[in-house]
Amino acid sequence: MTVIPLSESWTVTALSGPAPEGVAGRAIPATVPGSVHLDLLRAGLIDEPFDGDNETTQQWIGDVDWRFETTFRWHEDGSERRDLVAEGLDTLATITLNGVEIGRTENQHRSYRFDLGAALVEGENALRIDFDAPVPAAHERSERHGARPHVNHHPYNALRKMGSSFGWDWGIDVAASGIWKPIRIETWSTARIASVRPLVDVEGTTGVLEAHVAIERADGLRRGPLRVEVEIDDRVAQVEVAPGETSARVRVEVPDADLWWPRGHGAQPLYDVAVRLADVDAWRGRVGFRTVHVDIAPDEDGSPFALHVNGRLIHVRGANWIPDHAFLTEVDRDRYARRIAGATEANMNLLRVWGGGIYESDDFYDLCDEQGVLVWQDFLLACAAYAEEEWLSREIEAEAREAITRLSPHPSLVIWNGNNENIVAYADWGWRSKLGGLTWGEAYYRRMFPALLAELDPTRFYSAGSPYSFSSYLSPNLDQYGTVHIWDVWNTKDYASYREWKPRFVAEFGFQGPPAWTTLTDVVHDAPLDPQGAQMLVHQKAWQGNINLERGYGPHLPAPKTIDDWHWATQLNQAAALRFGISYFRSLSPYNTGTIVWQLNDDWPVISWAAVDFAERRKPLWYALKAVYAPRFATIQPAGDGLAAVLLNDADEAWSGDLVVRRLAFDGTVRAEAVIAAEVEARGAATVALPAEVAAAGEPTGEVLVVDAAGFGRALHDFAEVVEQSLDRAPLEVRAERADGAVRVHVTARSYVRDVFLLADRGHRDAAVDTGLVSLLPGEEHVFTVTGAPEDVDPSAFTAPLVLRHAGDLRA
C-alpha cells in the first residue's frame, strides 16, 4: 500500500454567504487538519474568537459556504485501487478531483473512503472540497423534516455535526467548517484490512482474544484465498479466507493472562496484537484482558447500577468529559495526558464521554487504557429529539458501526450509553406533546444501538440512556433505580438539598463557579469588572447563571462586596456544594455505587461547572474533588437525631483503629472528646455513631466537630454556615520563601480557619499550587508549594490578601 498524505498547500475561500470585504473570494492559506476559524485567525482576518464578545461578531463564519483546495502530484504505481480517505470532514461536503465529483459527505462523526478510479491522473491533481454553511443547513433540514425539540438556539439535531459546536450552556457557538482529521490518498492491490475488532474474554485464568477481521478486496469477491494471521504474546493463529469471503474470525488463547484492572484495583497490562493479511496489509493494536458486568437486577430498594470488572465491584468516582477545545484540532496527545492526569490526581477512576461532543481520538482512549481510567462512552445524541427516518438514521448507523469497531480494542471502555437526557426529556419534559407524532430517537436507543453492539461488540454493557431506570414503565430519572441526573440543586435548590435524594448512582450533577482569575480576565474586559457586565455574560452561557451563583452562595457565605470577593466566593461555593453532595452520596455506600460529577473540563474560557478551567488551571473544586474522592475517606453525616462518622475504605486491605472525636471551640479549647474503636472491611464502609455529648454543639457558631483516624483525611463538621460563624478574619501567621526551585508558603493557624486557598495565578499567571481548601485547627501549620513562578517573582506575592484566601475573610 502507498500512502500520500494531503496535509500541505491548502487554501480556503469564502464562496457565498455574509463574508465581509477582504474575506469574500480571497484564497487564504489553510492548515489541514484544522478549522476555518483558525485559518482566519492566522491570516489576521478575525480577532481571537474567545476574547470579549467576538463570538457575536464572528457568527457570520457559520453562515458561509467554504471551499478548501490543494494540488498534489501522483505517479502511476500499478495499484489496482486508488482511494481518497477522509478521516473527518466537518460536515456537509462535496468532493471534486480534477473537476470530477467523487463523493459527498454529511457526517462529522465518521470517515469516508472514495474510489478515485480514472479521476486520479498522472502528474498534478487538483482536489477541491466545498462545505455547505452548517448553520443555515441545520435550520433548513429541521424545517424540511419537521422541527423537533432541542436545547440551545440552533437545531443541531438535524445535522450530524458536534452538537456543542453550535454552543451549549457552557460552550461557545463556533459552528463552522473544516477538514478536521487527516486526509490522504491510498493506493493498493489484492486486498486490505478494512477493520479489526479484537474482542477479549477471560475463561478461568486464560485470556481469550477473538479477532474479527473485515477485508476489502480490490477486485470485489473474485480473487483466490487469503491468509489472516493474528499474533499476541508470541502466540500465533491463522485462518484461510476463501474466495468470495470478506471476513475472518481468529481465536488466540493466552494462558495465565495478566488481567487489566481499573486504577486502584491492580495493574494495567496491555498486550500488543498484530493482524497480518497475507503479505499485503497489517494492523497493530493493544488489548487488555478483563470482563465487564453491570448489575441492574431489581432489589428491595429499586435496582442498582453496580459496575463490576473482573468480578469485582468498582465504586465509581468519576467526572463527565466534554470536548477539550471548541476547535478540536487544538487538542493533542500532551493536552489529553495533562487532562487525564487532572482526573487521576483527583482520585477519579472513570470519565464519561458526553453525547453532545465527539468520539474522542485514539490518544484519549490509549491514555485511559494506560492509566486504568474507565470510560463510559455516549453515542452522540444529546438533549434533543432525533429523526428516525432514513435520511438521518443511515448516518447514525454508519457512525455507530465505525465507533464501536474503532473503540473495541480499548479495555478502558466499559459502558456504551444510548443518549444523554433524551428519554427523560420525552417522558418528563413535555416533548411528547411538542412532537405531535414525529419520531424522536427511540428506535436508536432501544433497537439500533443494542443490535449493533450485539453484532459487533457484546463485551460491553449498554444503557439505553442517561438517566435511566432500566424499565419502560418507570420515569427515567428516579433516584432509586439505575442512574439519575440531579440538576434541581443548581437550577432551584440550595446545595444542602442533595440530601433529599437517595440515589443508587449519580451520572450527572454539578454546580458552577468561575475559572481562575487570570483565565477570566484574559478574555473579559468589562470596566469595571462586574458579574453582570456585558462581556462577563458572554462568558456565562447558563440561563440566569450568575443569578444562580448568587442564589447558591446566599445561605452559606457573606454577600461579596467587591468583584474579587465575588470571584472567590463563587469559586468557594462551587467547591463546597460538590464536597457536600459527594460526601453524602458516598456515605450511602454500598447502596450508592458511584458518582460522575459534571464536569471535569472546559472547551473555552467560561464560567462553568468544570473543575479544571480551559487554561488548565485547577479551580478550588478540583481540590475538593481530590479530597472527597480519596479511596479512604471519612465524613460526618446526620444519623437519626445525632451524627455519625462514615468511613469509606476503597482499598484491598481492611482497616481498624481509633476514631479520635473532638468538639472544639474556635480558639482550640476542647469542649468534649471521645476515642472510639472502629473497623472497616476491604472495599467496604462502616458507620460509627458519635456520642451525643461530643456531637451536640454547645455554641454552634463558635465550635467545630473533628474526627481523626489514621490513614483517612480529617473529617470536619461545622455546626453553622460561614455567614453565621464567628470566624476570625485574620487567623493566619504567614511567611514565604524560595526553596528547591519553588515558593513555599507557610501558614500557621491562630484560630480555627476554614478552606485556606492560594489563588496562585494571582501571584503570577504561570504559577500553580499543590494543595488547596485546607482547614486548620489552632496551632496547626500547612505548607503550600507553588511552582511555575519565575525566579524574579518575590515570594511575598503569594501571601497578598487577594492571593491567600480563606472562607472567613469574606466576613465583614
Side-chain angles (χ1 to χ4, degrees):
M1 179 181 292
T2 301
V3 177
I4 304 173
L6 301 177
S7 57
E8 303 296 330
S9 304
W10 286 90
T11 61
V12 61
T13 306
L15 294 182
S16 61
E21 185 178 352
V23 175
R26 173 179 172 180
I28 301 162
T31 298
V32 171
S35 169
V36 168
H37 280 82
L38 300 178
D39 295 329
L40 294 170
L41 180 63
R42 278 187 288 265
L45 297 173
I46 63 171
D47 293 327
E48 166 57 54
F50 297 163
D51 191 62
D53 192 18
N54 289 339
E55 176 188 20
T56 300
T57 61
Q58 295 173 8
Q59 286 299 292
W60 61 268
I61 298 172
D63 293 332
V64 169
D65 298 332
W66 296 96
R67 171 172 291 171
F68 283 77
E69 295 178 283
T70 191
T71 59
F72 64 93
R73 299 190 67 80
W74 177 78
H75 297 288
E76 176 63 58
D77 60 2
S79 297
E80 297 174 85
R81 279 284 299 271
R82 303 149 187 171
D83 293 346
L84 177 71
V85 180
E87 292 188 23
L89 299 176
D90 181 13
T91 292
L92 299 173
T94 301
I95 306 168
T96 304
L97 181 65
N98 300 320
V100 178
E101 182 178 315
I102 61 166
R104 294 180 178 235
T105 77
E106 50 184 83
N107 193 333
Q108 179 185 7
H109 304 305
R110 57 170 290 199
S111 64
Y112 292 85
R113 178 180 289 267
F114 300 104
D115 185 352
L116 297 176
L120 184 66
V121 300
E122 178 75 22
E124 186 164 286
N125 290 260
L127 179 63
R128 186 177 74 214
I129 304 178
D130 291 339
F131 289 95
D132 293 348
V135 174
H139 285 275
E140 186 278 327
R141 287 183 170 216
S142 177
E143 294 170 6
R144 177 166 26 120
H145 296 291
R148 289 165 167 83
H150 59 86
V151 299
N152 306 318
H153 54 294
H154 294 305
Y156 60 88
N157 49 339
L159 197 62
R160 292 314 295 155
K161 177 177 171 66
M162 183 174 77
S164 60
S165 70
F166 291 94
W168 214 265
D169 59 2
W170 38 258
I172 186 173
D173 181 357
V174 286
S177 304
I179 304 168
W180 77 287
K181 286 188 175 182
I183 186 169
R184 61 187 177 274
I185 303 292
E186 289 184 1
T187 63
W188 53 281
S189 297
T190 307
R192 71 177 189 89
I193 296 174
S195 67
V196 176
R197 287 179 288 117
L199 307 184
V200 301
D201 198 1
V202 180
E203 298 177 357
T205 61
T206 298
V208 178
L209 169 70
E210 279 205 352
H212 299 252
V213 184
I215 299 165
E216 183 180 8
R217 295 176 182 263
D219 61 349
L221 303 178
R222 297 185 298 278
R223 188 161 292 165
L226 296 166
R227 186 185 70 259
V228 174
E229 183 179 272
V230 176
E231 180 179 359
I232 181 172
D233 196 40
D234 296 325
R235 291 168 172 81
V236 179
Q238 61 185 35
V239 299
E240 189 170 276
V241 183
E245 296 289 331
T246 57
S247 65
R249 186 170 68 180
V250 184
R251 177 184 171 104
V252 189
E253 296 185 357
V254 179
D256 299 317
D258 294 325
L259 297 185
W260 184 96
W261 288 96
R263 64 182 301 105
H265 289 263
Q268 293 79 43
L270 297 168
Y271 288 79
D272 292 326
V273 178
V275 179
R276 292 179 279 271
L277 176 61
D279 58 355
V280 296
D281 202 3
W283 176 96
R284 293 187 177 276
R286 299 184 302 182
V287 299
F289 291 108
R290 54 97 183 101
T291 62
V292 175
H293 168 68
V294 178
D295 179 12
I296 56 171
D299 58 24
E300 63 273 16
D301 297 307
S303 60
F305 187 85
L307 171 63
H308 294 76
V309 176
N310 301 327
R312 178 185 292 175
L313 174 64
I314 308 299
H315 295 276
V316 171
R317 307 186 300 271
N320 284 270
W321 171 276
I322 65 170
D324 200 45
H325 201 295
F327 303 120
L328 297 171
T329 55
E330 297 300 283
V331 183
D332 59 14
R333 186 181 179 89
D334 287 343
R335 185 173 173 98
Y336 276 126
R338 294 191 302 272
R339 288 302 212 185
I340 292 172
T344 59
E345 290 173 26
N347 293 311
M348 296 178 188
N349 60 11
L350 182 144
L351 293 174
R352 175 190 170 204
V353 181
W354 167 77
I358 60 171
Y359 302 109
E360 292 290 343
S361 80
D362 290 332
D363 287 333
F364 174 86
Y365 303 97
D366 285 342
L367 288 161
C368 288
D369 292 345
E370 294 164 9
Q371 296 297 318
V373 176
L374 299 170
V375 175
W376 160 328
Q377 175 69 57
D378 283 10
F379 288 103
L380 303 185
L381 302 105
C383 303
Y386 291 83
E388 296 171 17
E389 286 69 37
E390 194 269 343
W391 68 273
L392 191 64
S393 67
R394 67 171 182 262
E395 289 299 330
I396 289 176
E397 178 173 355
E399 75 182 53
R401 283 185 174 276
E402 181 172 331
I404 293 167
T405 297
R406 176 172 72 89
L407 302 183
S408 63
H410 295 286
S412 57
L413 176 56
V414 291
I415 293 170
W416 279 100
N417 177 55
N419 70 87
N420 179 73
E421 296 186 339
N422 298 347
I423 296 175
V424 71
Y426 182 82
D428 295 347
W429 296 0
W431 282 12
R432 185 178 179 183
S433 60
K434 293 178 181 178
L435 283 161
L438 291 174
T439 56
W440 59 277
E442 182 177 26
Y444 303 133
Y445 318 136
R446 302 197 193 277
R447 294 192 290 279
M448 178 188 286
F449 294 155
L452 289 176
L453 286 164
E455 173 193 348
L456 299 173
D457 186 1
T459 69
R460 272 89 175 180
F461 178 79
Y462 173 72
S463 171
S466 181
Y468 196 55
S469 295
F470 294 95
S471 171
S472 299
Y473 304 100
L474 293 170
S475 172
N477 202 32
L478 296 176
D479 61 348
Q480 68 268 43
Y481 294 91
T483 58
V484 66
H485 292 191
I486 300 175
W487 283 112
D488 301 53
V489 168
W490 162 251
N491 289 317
T492 62
K493 292 177 176 282
D494 179 64
Y495 69 67
S497 299
Y498 278 126
R499 287 204 181 109
E500 295 176 7
W501 282 262
K502 192 179 178 184
R504 308 304 296 268
F505 189 102
V506 193
E508 268 192 32
F509 66 112
F511 208 93
Q512 271 201 352
W517 181 263
T518 302
T519 305
L520 185 67
T521 56
D522 276 351
V523 295
V524 173
H525 313 295
D526 297 319
L529 205 61
D530 183 85
Q532 301 301 322
Q535 291 189 16
M536 184 77 81
L537 293 180
V538 170
H539 294 262
Q540 165 58 281
K541 295 301 183 182
W543 182 73
Q544 293 189 334
N546 284 1
I547 294 174
N548 274 0
L549 289 178
E550 182 177 347
R551 176 188 55 78
Y553 64 66
H556 305 281
L557 299 172
K561 295 179 173 56
T562 67
I563 188 64
D564 304 281
D565 282 356
W566 174 87
H567 178 264
W568 166 231
T570 50
Q571 280 204 328
L572 176 60
N573 198 59
Q574 178 190 30
L578 275 299
R579 178 171 59 193
F580 181 96
I582 296 173
S583 297
Y584 165 64
F585 297 145
R586 288 196 72 186
S587 78
L588 301 176
S589 178
Y591 175 91
N592 176 278
T593 55
T595 57
I596 309 178
V597 68
W598 188 273
Q599 65 214 58
L600 177 65
N601 58 326
D602 275 330
D603 75 341
W604 77 306
V606 65
I607 302 167
S608 83
W609 295 268
V612 184
D613 73 22
F614 176 73
E616 303 184 58
R617 296 183 175 104
R618 294 171 174 178
K619 294 156 71 169
L621 172 60
W622 183 89
Y623 297 87
L625 292 176
K626 182 177 182 180
V628 296
Y629 273 163
R632 280 186 169 163
F633 174 65
T635 178
I636 302 171
Q637 296 290 328
D641 295 330
L643 296 173
V646 183
L647 305 179
L648 289 305
N649 179 30
D650 196 7
D652 286 331
E653 301 79 27
W655 180 90
S656 62
D658 289 334
L659 304 185
V660 179
V661 186
R662 292 175 291 164
R663 178 163 50 87
L664 303 174
F666 287 177
D667 65 3
T669 302
V670 178
R671 297 286 171 82
E673 186 173 12
V675 177
I676 307 170
E679 57 184 32
V680 196
E681 64 185 16
R683 306 291 174 185
T687 300
V688 181
L690 301 180
E693 62 271 18
V694 181
E699 185 185 352
T701 62
E703 294 179 354
V704 61
L705 184 63
V706 182
V707 174
D708 289 307
F712 289 81
R714 171 179 284 166
L716 294 170
H717 176 75
D718 289 283
F719 295 102
E721 300 294 338
V722 173
V723 70
E724 302 163 333
Q725 287 178 312
S726 53
L727 293 166
D728 186 349
R729 292 194 72 248
L732 296 172
E733 296 177 359
V734 181
R735 64 182 177 87
E737 63 182 358
R738 280 206 170 269
D740 302 322
V743 173
R744 305 201 189 280
V745 178
H746 301 253
V747 297
T748 303
R750 290 189 289 260
S751 62
Y752 172 54
V753 56
R754 291 180 65 169
D755 292 323
V756 185
F757 194 80
L758 201 155
L759 296 146
D761 66 292
R762 299 205 69 168
H764 188 275
R765 63 179 299 112
D766 296 331
V769 65
D770 62 336
T771 52
L773 296 183
V774 177
S775 294
L776 299 173
L777 303 177
E780 291 182 336
E781 181 187 32
H782 181 79
V783 180
F784 294 97
T785 299
V786 179
T787 55
E791 288 288 332
D792 59 354
V793 174
D794 189 331
S796 65
F798 297 99
T799 67
L802 295 181
V803 178
L804 187 61
R805 309 246 15 195
H806 56 90
D809 70 14
L810 291 166
R811 293 179 56 82

